[in-house]
Amino acid sequence: MTDYTEIEKLYAGLRVSDVRDGMDWIGLFSKGSVHRDIRPLYEGARLCGPALTVRLVATHEQAPPMTPDEYTAWAYEHWYGSKHISPYKADITRGDVVVIEAPDLGVGQLGSNNTLAFKTLGAQGVVSSGGVRDVDECRLQKVPVFAQFISQTMTQGRIEYLEHGVAVTIGGQRVNPRDLVVGDGDGVIVVPHEHIEEVAKYAWQEALNDKRGRRKMYEQLGWALDETVQVD
């Protein structure tokens, strides 16, 4: 299953922890949980959608000596024209999560501009094993970003686009195109596309058990019931 409308129906309201439980219930104990270093950029970031996978790699090309004006032309015409390109933008469909395997070279390949561009094209947000910059603007814009680190550094002379629509590795986990990617304050988990429905079944079993148990304690404490304990 990769249709976003169907995924919305199955997974709306499920937490990463619930999905983790669903994965365990079908025997995928060591699969899915992306390394804890890949974290949400801001509190409240949420993702749940099919993966559009992208691979970036370290470049062999070194910027030659040049004047600042020559560097401007080189960066915009050469680097962003032929090296760090984004052909995958044409393949974004509503609800996609852009998943980027990037080398850990201290490069902030995500920023306020390209993450917002993903959003305008219909993507929910982005998960990357690389870095993010412009964090104040990114947090203000509220496009969900999950990344391994914050860095000021741009991409030119450092990393470049290789391919997209292929299997990638993020935080120690394989992500195939159209696998389900779920993210919240507990991090990111990947559900293989062939297990999406079965995982949802048991994730909801455990989610509802949790809601019912906590609802009873809310009532004992005299607390107002919030959305996390609503079961109907």
Side-chain angles (χ1 to χ4, degrees):
M1 173 185 292
T2 57
D3 179 77
Y4 178 60
T5 302
E6 293 301 312
I7 288 172
E8 278 189 304
K9 293 177 183 177
L10 283 175
Y11 280 79
L14 288 175
R15 306 165 298 180
V16 164
S17 57
D18 302 319
V19 178
R20 175 68 266 163
D21 292 346
M23 294 278 280
D24 288 355
W25 248 253
I26 68 168
L28 297 178
F29 300 103
S30 63
K31 306 301 180 184
S33 291
V34 171
H35 195 277
R36 59 184 174 272
D37 285 349
I38 297 179
R39 303 297 305 162
L41 186 60
Y42 62 87
E43 185 175 352
R46 299 279 190 276
L47 288 171
C48 183
L52 190 161
T53 58
V54 180
R55 179 173 288 133
L56 306 179
V57 293
T59 187
H60 281 168
E61 182 170 344
Q62 182 70 35
M66 61 187 94
T67 68
D69 287 341
E70 289 171 338
Y71 183 82
T72 296
W74 179 86
Y76 283 94
E77 296 172 14
H78 171 65
W79 196 261
Y80 292 108
S82 65
K83 291 292 184 178
H84 191 226
I85 56 177
S86 305
Y88 53 89
K89 287 182 179 179
D91 294 337
I92 292 175
T93 59
R94 186 181 74 87
D96 281 355
V97 176
V98 180
V99 178
I100 301 176
E101 177 185 327
D104 187 356
L105 297 176
V107 177
Q109 96 279 355
L110 297 174
S112 56
N113 191 297
N114 58 1
T115 57
L116 190 59
F118 298 156
K119 183 72 171 178
T120 65
L121 294 169
Q124 290 187 50
V126 58
V127 176
S128 176
S129 58
V132 58
R133 52 185 250 155
D134 314 327
V135 295
D136 292 336
E137 289 178 328
C138 287
R139 287 168 174 156
L140 180 66
Q141 292 171 177
K142 297 296 185 187
V143 177
V145 174
F146 291 71
Q148 186 167 219
F149 53 83
I150 292 170
S151 177
Q152 304 164 0
T153 307
M154 297 178 76
T155 67
Q156 53 265 38
R158 299 179 178 95
I159 63 174
E160 62 184 70
Y161 166 84
L162 179 65
E163 58 190 344
H164 71 280
V166 298
V168 298
T169 301
I170 299 287
Q173 296 296 326
R174 176 172 175 152
V175 187
N176 290 322
R178 316 317 288 172
D179 283 350
L180 181 63
V181 179
V182 185
D184 65 16
D186 286 339
V188 178
I189 190 166
V190 181
V191 182
H193 65 273
E194 65 269 24
H195 296 300
I196 289 174
E197 293 184 58
E198 189 178 19
V199 167
K201 174 182 176 181
Y202 294 102
W204 272 113
Q205 170 186 286
E206 296 310 296
L208 291 173
N209 285 340
D210 176 78
K211 286 175 181 285
R212 292 183 182 113
R214 288 189 301 110
R215 183 185 181 110
K216 289 179 181 178
M217 289 183 277
Y218 268 50
E219 291 168 343
Q220 290 173 358
L221 292 165
W223 290 2
L225 301 181
D226 59 41
E227 62 180 10
T228 73
V229 294
Q230 300 297 332
V231 295
D232 298 322

